[in-house]
Amino acid sequence: MSSINILEAIVAKSKLSKKETAKQQKIVESAIALFAEKGYSNTSTSEIAKKSGVAEGTIFRHYGTKENLLLSVIAPFLKESMPDLAKDLREEVNPDNNTRFEDFIESLIRNRLNFLKANREIFRVVIKELLYRDELRYDLFPHIGKEMSAFIGNAINDYKARGELADIPNDQLIRMILSTIGSQFVVRFVLSPETNADNEEREIESLVRFIVYGVSARD
Amino acid sequence: MSSINILEAIVAKSKLSKKETAKQQKIVESAIALFAEKGYSNTSTSEIAKKSGVAEGTIFRHYGTKENLLLSVIAPFLKESMPDLAKDLREEVNPDNNTRFEDFIESLIRNRLNFLKANREIFRVVIKELLYRDELRYDLFPHIGKEMSAFIGNAINDYKARGELADIPNDQLIRMILSTIGSQFVVRFVLSPETNADNEEREIESLVRFIVYGVSARD
Amino acid sequence: MSSINILEAIVAKSKLSKKETAKQQKIVESAIALFAEKGYSNTSTSEIAKKSGVAEGTIFRHYGTKENLLLSVIAPFLKESMPDLAKDLREEVNPDNNTRFEDFIESLIRNRLNFLKANREIFRVVIKELLYRDELRYDLFPHIGKEMSAFIGNAINDYKARGELADIPNDQLIRMILSTIGSQFVVRFVLSPETNADNEEREIESLVRFIVYGVSARD
Amino acid sequence: MSSINILEAIVAKSKLSKKETAKQQKIVESAIALFAEKGYSNTSTSEIAKKSGVAEGTIFRHYGTKENLLLSVIAPFLKESMPDLAKDLREEVNPDNNTRFEDFIESLIRNRLNFLKANREIFRVVIKELLYRDELRYDLFPHIGKEMSAFIGNAINDYKARGELADIPNDQLIRMILSTIGSQFVVRFVLSPETNADNEEREIESLVRFIVYGVSARD
DNA sequence: GATGAATGAGTTTTCATTCAT
DNA sequence: AATGAATGAAAACTCATTCAT
């Protein structure tokens, strides 16, 4: 079964099931924190139990397996991140205006940045697991790619028509943009998670500039 | 282990080691393959032993602990990656000859690409472990940054003087360039390791173009 | 639990119990099905609860312990099997007639066969548990033996007087007959429970013949 | 995979592997005793470990799983019991010499009885597990049936020719004989394992008589 | 009466590490 | 040097039972 399907199943199930117990919330919370910090396989269920102030059995009563707990943590993040993106972006970014491509990119970055600021721990978990779970990777990347294409494809065509963008196939453009933004997020949230963000504004600006113009001097 | 120590310890260790026996080579080889695929904590010493055709005790006789085996695997890679870079680059890349910055970047990419092609498995191990070992990260990135600064600082200054580069502080420039290249390498070697490289040339070209000019249309 | 007590306790228990609620019936029904298939210790109370459409707590509210649920399942079977036998047999089999011993045995077999057909699941439970519960065994067999002796003792004496039966002590005769019949029932209901009974008549006939005349040729 | 195949695999493997350790022997010994008494699922590996004077890990190092330990216990019994039977019987029972069918049956009984006396504990384990493992049952009974047919088929034909046996199809005859003998063995070794065998001779005699002539009076 | 969340003791299993040979 | 049997601590997981609602 494809991984995205599993995630959907979990989200569906968790929507069906009555509201979470206080203990369940504590469990998920602790699991996220520990998985984020030490990674899934370096975290034991007994640690999670202790941190949650819960008996170990309780974890298994609710989630069945440790693996399933992980998915229950990841699933909502993955499934809800995409719709959120589309909706939010449409509100925040209006490519029809006489905004420039830079503005468009900046909005995109700010939108995702805010999303990740609100979900930084889960993001760390996901990134770490990405390295070990082929299905996750193989499902996720194409999925994201498609969602983004659907969303920014039109915008890109507009900007291309205006002559603002290089004549590069859309999917290549998207991949470059996303991987550049993505890698900055990974650096910021996963590799140096304790960095304080004094100069966030400057970094956004500089990232936008880099994506749009590269490192070359603009005359 | 203190922050400063890990790289030094690694280098020290690799200097100590007398020449490896055939069994040791098999062990290291198997460990690399398994760590690369499943990660350090998801690999058991018994798996390594089996894959090496060696008794489990033998591993511990040589490396004392599993942790230590990991270091023995990583050490040469890290130790040699830096000097190699400097030396190789100096030979291959001659900023004076290559008139344009694009050529410089391309040489840099090709050099590192070749290095990683020859060490792809270890690269995967290192990247995966990077996420779990703060010391590794905290030592490694500044270290690489410094090495690179020392090396390409002059070149950058030259190209800046020629007006080819944007007026951005060197360390920022370096970070952008390296993280963009690095993330491509991670995608290529770690996230999609089975990708065949039919269009390698085109990808290099496109990466160079992106780094230098971004996604914008040029004049 | 002492040897004498278990059967008595069971009978006592089943007398105490007020009439069962619908839920209780579902519970007992599910428990029987599951115990019959997988055995007592391989069946969890949560399985029973799920199959019954009842909360796990409900089981314990009614039966206190899992063990007690088992007894509640077994009790009526054991309690009723004996009197039923005696009563039914007296009606169905009339040894006073000029029936031959074969007819007597056949009636006995048919009677018990019908009883077990109506209680096949519980029979499977009892047989399986018999192997693990010494008290059950130590109480049950002598009990059955005594009941049967009381019942067919007279008949046997009659047939002996008529010269139809070998000169073997009654208890030995009874043991042979019962264990032969019993083992056929175990084969039929426990070891091959999915066998369809097309040739039931022929099997009864052949069993009767074997009990009475063995495998030898009758001149 | 069919159960007999699994057993064969295990026997094959255990023949390949070097001789058993002293600890391994202790483990198997303790496992047999405990499985025989309390059954497989009511016996914990920690009990086995304690009784063997061995660390719990040792059990799993050698047998991998508890299930596999069970099979390692059962396998030799099942696989070797059949050949032994054939070989022993051919030596002990010579249908040509023993004039009467009774003698043949008696030899058969004595042979199997001796075999089970030497393996009474394992027999108890096997019988108990038979109830819970369909594959075991479905493989074993036909297997035994075939082996026995092959072996005593000729003898039966001889005795039939001599007019000593009823005109019943061989497979039915075999089934009756074997199930009668088998059920006596189950009673003796499994259901009343602590019975002392003072009157063994008399019981054999009586069993033979019953199989051959049933309960009827012989004029 | 019924529920189902919670428990915690116990079970199977894994695994890095030790050590006698 | 090499082996591999043995260990024991810790891991994931199960489950009968309790109890507040």
Side-chain angles (χ1 to χ4, degrees):
Chain A
M1 190 187 299
S2 120
S3 164
I4 290 285
N5 289 348
I6 291 179
L7 298 183
E8 272 170 15
I10 286 179
V11 170
K13 167 187 291 191
S14 76
K15 273 185 182 145
L16 274 188
S17 73
K18 340 283 169 200
K19 59 205 59 131
E20 278 183 326
T21 335
K23 301 238 172 193
Q24 271 189 78
Q25 280 173 12
K26 275 301 290 169
I27 291 170
V28 166
E29 212 170 281
S30 308
I32 290 173
L34 289 167
F35 289 164
E37 196 192 326
K38 324 182 358 177
Y40 173 77
S41 22
N42 301 316
T43 302
S44 73
T45 50
S46 82
E47 278 177 289
I48 299 172
K50 200 189 300 174
K51 178 154 189 168
S52 317
V54 148
E56 209 170 341
T58 306
I59 295 176
F60 288 93
R61 154 158 273 270
H62 286 299
Y63 301 96
T65 63
K66 188 188 168 194
E67 178 90 11
N68 203 37
L69 172 59
L70 173 66
L71 294 182
S72 299
V73 158
I74 286 181
F77 175 85
L78 292 183
K79 290 309 296 176
E80 288 168 22
S81 68
M82 308 313 158
D84 278 15
L85 172 64
K87 216 191 69 192
D88 290 9
L89 266 188
R90 236 181 299 275
E91 290 165 6
E92 295 172 16
V93 190
N94 196 339
D96 305 330
N97 300 353
N98 51 4
T99 51
R100 292 170 310 150
F101 186 67
E102 275 132 296
D103 302 320
F104 177 75
I105 289 295
E106 190 183 323
S107 296
L108 182 62
I109 292 172
R110 285 187 192 280
N111 172 278
R112 290 298 82 190
L113 187 60
N114 288 332
F115 177 71
L116 292 186
K117 274 176 173 176
N119 299 278
R120 58 178 77 215
E121 298 277 73
I122 302 189
F123 182 56
R124 291 172 71 191
V125 177
V126 170
I127 291 299
K128 288 186 179 175
E129 281 313 299
L130 222 43
L131 291 178
Y132 296 105
R133 296 173 186 271
D134 295 345
E135 348 84 66
L136 200 52
R137 230 157 44 220
Y138 292 152
D139 284 1
L140 197 58
F141 286 140
H143 184 74
I144 291 183
K146 230 189 308 177
E147 292 274 340
M148 293 302 286
S149 291
F151 177 65
I152 59 178
N154 288 335
I156 284 182
N157 287 335
D158 284 355
Y159 289 113
K160 272 189 177 169
R162 295 189 216 168
E164 287 193 38
L165 286 178
D167 187 24
I168 301 176
N170 280 10
D171 63 331
Q172 261 191 53
L173 273 177
I174 290 176
R175 221 180 322 127
M176 281 174 181
I177 294 170
L178 292 188
S179 75
T180 304
I181 296 176
S183 70
Q184 290 312 308
F185 287 162
V186 169
V187 168
R188 157 100 185 252
F189 290 108
V190 184
L191 297 182
S192 338
E194 55 299 297
T195 302
N196 58 352
D198 295 343
N199 40 9
E200 183 174 294
E201 284 306 316
R202 230 176 319 135
E203 289 197 343
I204 291 176
E205 186 189 345
S206 132
L207 177 56
V208 172
R209 193 212 184 281
F210 175 65
I211 289 173
V212 180
Y213 301 106
V215 296
S216 71
R218 303 157 63 194
D219 43 331
Chain B
M1 192 183 297
S2 115
S3 173
I4 295 292
N5 287 355
I6 187 169
L7 282 183
E8 282 174 7
I10 282 175
V11 172
K13 157 183 302 293
S14 66
K15 273 186 182 142
L16 274 186
S17 69
K18 356 241 165 236
K19 61 200 58 140
E20 288 178 322
T21 68
K23 301 236 172 198
Q24 278 188 71
Q25 279 176 13
K26 272 304 287 171
I27 291 170
V28 166
E29 209 171 284
S30 308
I32 290 172
L34 290 168
F35 290 163
E37 198 191 324
K38 324 183 354 176
Y40 173 78
S41 27
N42 302 315
T43 302
S44 72
T45 49
S46 82
E47 279 176 289
I48 299 171
K50 198 194 297 174
K51 179 154 190 168
S52 318
V54 149
E56 212 169 342
T58 308
I59 294 176
F60 288 89
R61 162 154 289 274
H62 285 301
Y63 301 96
T65 64
K66 188 187 168 193
E67 179 87 12
N68 207 27
L69 172 58
L70 174 66
L71 293 185
S72 300
V73 158
I74 290 182
F77 175 83
L78 293 183
K79 195 189 59 155
E80 287 168 25
S81 68
M82 310 314 158
D84 275 17
L85 172 64
K87 213 189 73 193
D88 289 9
L89 265 188
R90 238 181 299 274
E91 290 166 5
E92 296 173 17
V93 189
N94 194 336
D96 303 331
N97 299 347
N98 301 299
T99 18
R100 294 176 315 154
F101 185 65
E102 275 128 299
D103 302 320
F104 176 74
I105 289 295
E106 190 182 324
S107 297
L108 181 60
I109 291 172
R110 286 187 190 281
N111 171 277
R112 289 299 83 190
L113 187 60
N114 288 332
F115 176 71
L116 291 186
K117 276 177 172 174
N119 298 279
R120 54 179 78 216
E121 299 276 75
I122 303 189
F123 182 54
R124 292 172 72 192
V125 177
V126 170
I127 292 298
K128 287 185 178 176
E129 281 314 299
L130 222 44
L131 291 177
Y132 297 105
R133 300 176 183 268
D134 295 345
E135 346 82 67
L136 199 52
R137 227 159 44 223
Y138 293 152
D139 283 2
L140 198 57
F141 286 137
H143 184 75
I144 291 182
K146 227 182 319 172
E147 291 274 340
M148 291 302 285
S149 289
F151 176 64
I152 58 178
N154 288 336
I156 284 181
N157 287 336
D158 283 355
Y159 288 112
K160 272 188 177 171
R162 294 191 215 164
E164 288 193 38
L165 286 178
D167 185 24
I168 301 175
N170 279 11
D171 61 335
Q172 263 192 52
L173 272 178
I174 291 175
R175 222 181 321 129
M176 282 174 181
I177 293 169
L178 291 190
S179 74
T180 302
I181 296 175
S183 70
Q184 291 312 307
F185 286 163
V186 169
V187 168
R188 157 103 185 249
F189 289 109
V190 184
L191 298 182
S192 338
E194 58 297 302
T195 301
N196 59 352
D198 296 343
N199 40 11
E200 183 174 295
E201 283 305 316
R202 230 177 319 134
E203 290 198 342
I204 292 175
E205 184 189 348
S206 136
L207 178 56
V208 170
R209 194 213 181 280
F210 176 66
I211 291 173
V212 179
Y213 300 106
V215 296
S216 69
R218 302 162 61 190
D219 57 331
Chain C
M1 192 182 297
S2 113
S3 173
I4 296 290
N5 287 353
I6 188 167
L7 284 182
E8 281 173 8
I10 283 176
V11 172
K13 156 182 305 293
S14 65
K15 274 185 183 144
L16 274 187
S17 68
K18 356 240 163 233
K19 59 200 59 138
E20 286 178 326
T21 68
K23 300 236 173 197
Q24 280 187 68
Q25 280 175 15
K26 274 302 289 171
I27 291 170
V28 166
E29 209 171 282
S30 308
I32 290 173
L34 290 168
F35 290 164
E37 198 192 325
K38 323 181 355 173
Y40 173 78
S41 27
N42 301 317
T43 302
S44 73
T45 50
S46 81
E47 279 177 289
I48 299 171
K50 198 194 295 175
K51 178 153 191 167
S52 318
V54 148
E56 211 168 344
T58 308
I59 295 176
F60 288 90
R61 164 155 287 273
H62 285 299
Y63 301 96
T65 64
K66 187 189 169 192
E67 179 88 13
N68 207 29
L69 171 59
L70 173 66
L71 294 185
S72 300
V73 158
I74 289 182
F77 176 85
L78 293 183
K79 194 188 59 154
E80 289 169 24
S81 68
M82 310 314 160
D84 276 15
L85 172 63
K87 215 189 69 189
D88 290 8
L89 264 188
R90 236 181 299 274
E91 291 166 5
E92 296 173 15
V93 190
N94 196 338
D96 303 332
N97 300 353
N98 51 7
T99 51
R100 294 171 309 152
F101 186 67
E102 275 130 296
D103 303 319
F104 177 75
I105 289 294
E106 190 183 323
S107 297
L108 182 61
I109 291 173
R110 286 187 193 280
N111 171 278
R112 290 299 83 190
L113 187 59
N114 289 331
F115 176 71
L116 291 187
K117 275 176 172 176
N119 298 278
R120 56 178 78 213
E121 298 276 76
I122 302 189
F123 183 54
R124 292 172 71 192
V125 177
V126 170
I127 292 299
K128 288 186 179 176
E129 281 314 299
L130 223 45
L131 292 176
Y132 297 105
R133 297 173 185 271
D134 294 347
E135 345 85 67
L136 199 53
R137 228 158 45 223
Y138 292 154
D139 283 2
L140 198 57
F141 286 138
H143 184 75
I144 291 182
K146 229 185 313 173
E147 292 274 340
M148 292 302 285
S149 289
F151 175 66
I152 58 178
N154 288 336
I156 284 181
N157 287 334
D158 284 355
Y159 290 113
K160 273 190 177 167
R162 295 191 216 165
E164 289 193 37
L165 286 177
D167 186 25
I168 301 176
N170 280 11
D171 62 332
Q172 260 191 56
L173 272 178
I174 291 176
R175 220 181 323 127
M176 281 174 179
I177 294 170
L178 293 188
S179 74
T180 303
I181 297 176
S183 70
Q184 291 312 306
F185 287 162
V186 170
V187 168
R188 157 101 185 252
F189 290 108
V190 184
L191 297 183
S192 338
E194 57 298 298
T195 301
N196 59 352
D198 295 343
N199 40 8
E200 184 175 292
E201 284 305 316
R202 230 177 319 134
E203 290 198 341
I204 292 176
E205 186 189 344
S206 131
L207 177 56
V208 171
R209 192 212 184 280
F210 175 65
I211 290 173
V212 179
Y213 301 105
V215 297
S216 69
R218 303 158 62 192
D219 43 332
Chain D
M1 189 187 300
S2 118
S3 162
I4 290 286
N5 288 347
I6 291 177
L7 297 183
E8 273 170 15
I10 286 179
V11 171
K13 169 188 290 190
S14 76
K15 273 184 182 146
L16 274 187
S17 72
K18 343 281 169 202
K19 60 206 58 134
E20 280 183 325
T21 337
K23 302 238 171 194
Q24 269 188 82
Q25 281 174 12
K26 274 301 289 170
I27 291 169
V28 166
E29 210 170 282
S30 307
I32 290 173
L34 289 167
F35 290 164
E37 197 193 325
K38 325 186 351 178
Y40 174 77
S41 21
N42 302 316
T43 303
S44 73
T45 49
S46 81
E47 280 177 288
I48 299 171
K50 200 189 300 174
K51 178 154 189 167
S52 318
V54 149
E56 210 169 342
T58 306
I59 295 176
F60 288 92
R61 155 157 274 270
H62 286 299
Y63 301 97
T65 62
K66 188 188 167 193
E67 178 90 13
N68 202 38
L69 172 58
L70 173 67
L71 294 182
S72 299
V73 158
I74 286 181
F77 175 84
L78 292 184
K79 290 309 296 177
E80 286 169 24
S81 67
M82 309 312 157
D84 276 15
L85 173 63
K87 214 190 71 192
D88 289 9
L89 266 189
R90 238 180 298 275
E91 289 166 5
E92 296 172 16
V93 189
N94 195 338
D96 303 331
N97 298 345
N98 301 300
T99 19
R100 296 173 315 152
F101 185 65
E102 275 128 299
D103 301 321
F104 176 75
I105 289 295
E106 191 184 323
S107 296
L108 181 61
I109 291 172
R110 286 186 191 281
N111 171 279
R112 289 298 82 189
L113 187 59
N114 288 333
F115 176 71
L116 292 186
K117 275 177 172 174
N119 298 278
R120 55 178 78 215
E121 299 277 75
I122 302 190
F123 183 55
R124 292 173 71 192
V125 177
V126 169
I127 292 299
K128 289 186 177 177
E129 281 314 300
L130 221 45
L131 291 178
Y132 297 105
R133 298 175 185 269
D134 294 346
E135 348 82 67
L136 200 53
R137 228 156 46 221
Y138 293 153
D139 284 1
L140 195 58
F141 286 137
H143 185 73
I144 290 182
K146 229 186 314 174
E147 291 276 341
M148 291 302 286
S149 290
F151 177 65
I152 59 179
N154 287 335
I156 284 181
N157 288 334
D158 283 356
Y159 290 113
K160 271 187 178 170
R162 294 191 217 166
E164 288 194 36
L165 286 178
D167 186 23
I168 300 175
N170 280 11
D171 61 333
Q172 262 191 55
L173 273 177
I174 290 176
R175 221 180 322 128
M176 282 173 180
I177 294 170
L178 292 188
S179 74
T180 303
I181 297 177
S183 70
Q184 291 312 308
F185 287 163
V186 169
V187 169
R188 156 104 185 248
F189 290 108
V190 184
L191 298 181
S192 339
E194 57 297 299
T195 302
N196 59 352
D198 295 343
N199 40 10
E200 183 175 293
E201 283 307 316
R202 231 176 319 134
E203 290 198 343
I204 292 175
E205 185 190 345
S206 135
L207 177 57
V208 171
R209 194 211 181 282
F210 176 64
I211 290 174
V212 179
Y213 301 106
V215 295
S216 70
R218 303 159 60 191
D219 44 332

